[in-house]
């Protein structure tokens, strides 16, 4: 009998630079090679607490012209080698406003596509504040899509305004907004996150934290005040787990390392809350098979 607890991992990247083009990987040679389902499956054995029950693929930064092709490639992996991929968050150029419709139509032809992400984190101030960006995002509910917010902490105010302008869109904040954990900086991230959390259509993904810490020397206690604040702000029904594999390998040993660390940091919440964190909330937000 398998006693490991199931995880619906809401943030898994897969890539093959021999098939698609990922310009950003040139800056991170440690993880620049291909990372596919077989490697992920091998790393699951490194935790004796959890099993990977469902996977939400997160767009992995392929060139814009290949965004739909990336989604189709992952959809084919789900059909052939990794049936646990039950959700896909694809890239779409929402900043184009109405012109993004053709891309959304293509994505909607794949039932596993549950949401869209357009990276904001490395864009100049005001990128997500344009009327066209909000227009593109407001189109998403018509296709049954949510929107993943991937930002740095100083952009929390900008995306809070975006959420205000898109009240019918389901948003999820990736990597808790990427606070500067390496420097131990809590403010103004702490107050800005609280303001965002007061909007009911936002969920927070507890992911990517070790990567924002000192890669070589971080300790679980370095992460605890950030995790505690997220839980305090969003409550037990609006937090989800994300592994951020294989980007996470810059700072963790294997897929199971981060889930084990977070399990220890949230153990005081009790099994019912952890069940929501690791599985139930993800199934609800991304509309995964129950």
């Amino acid at each position: 009998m398998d006693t490991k607890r199931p995880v619906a991992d809401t943030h898994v990247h897969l890539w093959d630079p021999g098939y698609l083009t990922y310009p950003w990987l040139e800056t991170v040679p440690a993880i620049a090679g291909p990372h596919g389902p077989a490697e992920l499956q091998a790393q699951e054995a490194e935790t004796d607490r959890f099993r990977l029950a469902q996977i939400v693929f997160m767009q992995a930064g392929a060139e814009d012209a290949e965004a739909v092709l990336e989604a189709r490639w992952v959809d084919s992996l789900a059909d052939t080698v990794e049936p646990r991929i039950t959700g896909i968050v694809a890239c779409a150029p929402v900043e184009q406003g109405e012109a993004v419709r053709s891309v959304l139509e293509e994505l909607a032809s794949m039932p596993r596509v549950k949401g869209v992400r357009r990276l904001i984190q490395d864009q100049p101030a005001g990128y997500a504040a344009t009327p066209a960006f909000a227009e593109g995002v407001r189109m998403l509910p018509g296709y049954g899509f949510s929107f993943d917010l991937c930002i740095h902490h100083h952009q929390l105010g900008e995306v809070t305004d975006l959420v205000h302008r898109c009240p019918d869109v389901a948003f999820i904040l990736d990597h808790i907004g990427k606070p500067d954990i390496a420097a131990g900086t809590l403010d103004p991230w702490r107050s800005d996150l609280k303001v965002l959390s007061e909007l009911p259509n936002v969920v927070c993904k507890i992911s990517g934290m070790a990567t924002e810490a000192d890669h070589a020397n971080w300790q679980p206690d370095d992460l605890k005040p950030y995790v505690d604040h997220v839980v305090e702000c969003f409550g037990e029904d609006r937090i989800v787990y994300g592994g951020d594999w294989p980007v996470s390998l810059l700072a963790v040993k294997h897929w199971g390392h981060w889930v084990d660390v977070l399990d220890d940091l949230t153990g005081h919440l009790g099994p019912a809350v952890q069940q929501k964190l690791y599985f139930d909330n993800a199934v609800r937000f991304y509309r995964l098979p129950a």
Side-chain angles (χ1 to χ4, degrees):
M1 180 179 176
D2 189 352
T3 59
K4 293 183 178 181
R5 289 177 283 160
V7 173
D9 191 335
T10 65
H11 210 98
V12 174
H13 303 291
L14 303 167
W15 59 69
D16 182 355
Y19 180 60
L20 298 174
T21 308
Y22 306 87
W24 71 277
L25 286 177
E26 296 177 5
T27 67
V28 279
I31 56 170
H35 293 276
E39 180 186 354
L40 179 59
Q41 291 163 11
Q43 291 194 11
E44 289 178 60
E46 301 293 336
T47 173
D48 59 6
R49 305 186 205 180
F50 294 96
R51 62 179 175 86
L52 184 51
Q54 296 197 56
I55 295 168
V56 175
F57 167 80
M58 181 59 55
Q59 62 90 207
E63 286 192 338
D64 283 356
E66 299 175 337
V68 174
L69 185 59
E70 179 184 50
R72 293 198 182 283
W73 172 63
V74 174
D75 203 37
S76 72
L77 293 179
D79 285 334
T80 56
V81 298
E82 185 47 276
R84 295 176 300 178
I85 299 173
T86 54
I88 294 172
V89 176
C91 178
V94 293
E95 76 282 1
Q96 296 179 3
E98 175 62 30
V100 76
R101 187 175 297 279
S102 61
V103 175
L104 299 181
E105 295 282 358
E106 286 193 75
L107 295 175
S109 70
M110 292 173 271
R112 290 188 184 95
V113 176
K114 307 296 184 179
V116 161
R117 183 168 81 158
R118 186 58 161 165
L119 289 173
I120 300 170
Q121 61 182 8
D122 295 323
Q123 297 294 339
Y127 177 75
T130 65
F133 197 102
E135 180 185 20
V137 172
R138 280 195 292 265
M139 293 169 62
L140 299 181
Y143 297 90
F145 295 160
S146 57
F147 190 78
D148 270 65
L149 296 162
C150 189
I151 63 169
H152 290 294
H153 58 94
H154 64 269
Q155 296 168 308
L156 276 165
E158 183 172 319
V159 298
T160 298
D161 290 341
L162 174 67
V163 175
H164 270 295
R165 287 181 287 147
C166 305
D168 297 326
V169 178
F171 289 92
I172 186 164
L173 178 67
D174 295 347
H175 312 325
I176 71 169
K178 290 195 170 186
D180 190 354
I181 298 174
T185 305
L186 282 163
D187 298 312
W189 168 82
R190 191 159 42 184
S191 56
D192 290 343
L193 190 79
K194 177 63 175 174
V195 173
L196 179 62
S197 73
E198 291 169 354
L199 299 173
N201 55 324
V202 187
V203 167
C204 190
K205 188 178 298 186
I206 305 181
S207 61
M209 294 183 62
T211 321
E212 297 305 311
D214 182 332
H215 288 183
N217 299 304
W218 68 274
Q219 299 296 322
D221 283 349
D222 300 334
L223 312 182
K224 187 178 188 306
Y226 298 91
V227 172
D228 289 348
H229 186 63
V230 167
V231 175
E232 179 183 350
C233 287
F234 286 89
E236 62 187 61
D237 294 318
R238 291 194 293 144
I239 50 174
V240 302
Y241 171 78
D244 198 26
W245 187 91
V247 177
S248 61
L249 297 179
L250 294 170
V252 304
K253 299 172 184 176
H254 48 73
W255 176 83
H257 184 187
W258 166 236
V259 68
D260 285 347
V261 167
L262 188 60
D263 191 40
D264 291 337
L265 291 174
T266 58
H268 65 285
L269 300 175
V273 175
Q274 287 188 310
Q275 170 71 18
K276 292 181 178 182
L277 168 64
Y278 289 116
F279 195 83
D280 295 351
N281 293 346
V283 168
R284 184 181 68 251
F285 182 84
Y286 283 115
R287 289 121 17 241
L288 307 177

